[in-house]
Amino acid sequence: MADTNGMKVAKDYFLEVPFKNQNGFYVKGAENLGWGMKKRLSNIFNSESGNTVMFAFDHGYFMGSVSGLERLDLIVPKVVNYVDALMATRGALRTCVLPDNKKATVLRVTSGSSVLDDDLSREVVAVDIDDSIRMNADCLAVQVFIGSEGQKESLDNLSKVVNKALKYDIPVMGVVAVGKNMERTSKYFKLATRMIAELGANIIKTYYCDELEEIVAACPVPIVIAGGKKLPENEALTLAYKSIKAGAKGVDMGRNIFQSNYPDIMARAVSLIVHKGYTDEEAYSFYLKETGE
Ligand code: R5P
């Protein structure tokens, strides 16, 4: 392990230079992967925009029923047509998502704590590769707790899932966790996103922060931005817009869609930013027009 004393601070991100190893396939970092990987990644990332809108409704895996997700069987059909991928647990997918839907599935495969715990960071791999294949998952999501009590276990979970998933050409998404005692600084997100990519994840889900352009440049796989706590719709659209502008390849949005008064229209507005180049203001005008608010 390198001696970290006196390490120079990273500063040359060459923001104006596009990612080099991307001549034959449009998803960053996937050039050298197999056909199955590319097929699944292209189920998630739209080939025209290169981006994705993931709808996250996996919150129940540690929070139980949250506002807006009381009835998964009702909220999912409302939103499904306007997003590219569904991020959920196997329980939610099997019970509340019709198998004939054509959207990509991002299957959460780790769990191990609940809102009743002080420390949420101790997770295990809860869904094995056999069931992931049986469900035809397009991607496996692993929560990673860098700098917390459960760091070692979560990195072990990530490595184990990547090892198995590589065997079957299934992409893995590393989900950067933020907890009570964990930083939300660009320094922290730079560390976490790069570590997770180097450990083999094909997509990184993280949070919006300053210097996102540098985080994106230093990360050799696509970054998608979590929505986070519910914001007024115009602010959530600004978050999506700033994320795409900084080079994120999409959003993985939950509460800002399912807790909106108009989840379907909010999903459409987000999609206009992610896929059609709308500004946040244009997308909010669309939202206002469609809702009549
Ligand atoms: C959290 O661990 C879950 O992965 C959620 O899917 C994630 O936080 C995204 O949902 P939201 O946009 O509500 O933050």
Side-chain angles (χ1 to χ4, degrees), residues 17-94:
V17 182
F19 185 66
K20 280 289 177 198
N21 190 18
Q22 198 169 5
N23 300 317
F25 188 64
Y26 66 98
V27 178
K28 190 178 187 182
E31 180 89 0
N32 302 323
L33 300 178
W35 190 92
M37 270 291 180
K38 287 176 175 159
K39 174 73 185 114
R40 292 186 175 93
L41 286 167
S42 65
N43 289 342
I44 297 169
F45 293 95
N46 178 294
S47 59
E48 280 174 28
S49 66
N51 296 338
T52 187
V53 178
M54 292 184 187
F55 177 45
F57 55 99
D58 59 333
H59 304 59
Y61 98 95
F62 74 106
M63 299 171 90
S65 166
V66 301
S67 171
L69 292 184
E70 295 89 343
R71 291 286 303 268
L72 294 172
D73 58 319
L74 302 183
I75 187 71
V76 175
K78 211 175 259 184
V79 171
V80 67
N81 289 338
Y82 309 115
V83 298
D84 304 289
L86 302 173
M87 181 195 187
T89 60
R90 62 177 164 185
L93 288 170
R94 275 207 171 93

Side-chain angles (χ1 to χ4, degrees), residues 61 90 107-113 121-132 140-145 150 152-165 172-173:
Y61 98 95
R90 62 177 164 185
L107 177 63
R108 172 168 285 282
V109 297
T110 55
S111 72
S113 51
S121 72
R122 298 202 180 273
E123 293 202 337
V124 296
V125 178
V127 180
D128 66 18
I129 195 70
D130 294 348
D131 203 34
S132 305
L140 309 180
V142 176
Q143 196 84 14
V144 185
F145 299 85
K152 186 176 171 199
E153 289 96 325
S154 73
L155 293 177
D156 185 44
N157 294 342
L158 175 66
S159 301
K160 283 185 174 142
V161 172
V162 168
N163 286 334
K164 291 267 171 63
V172 171
M173 181 165 84

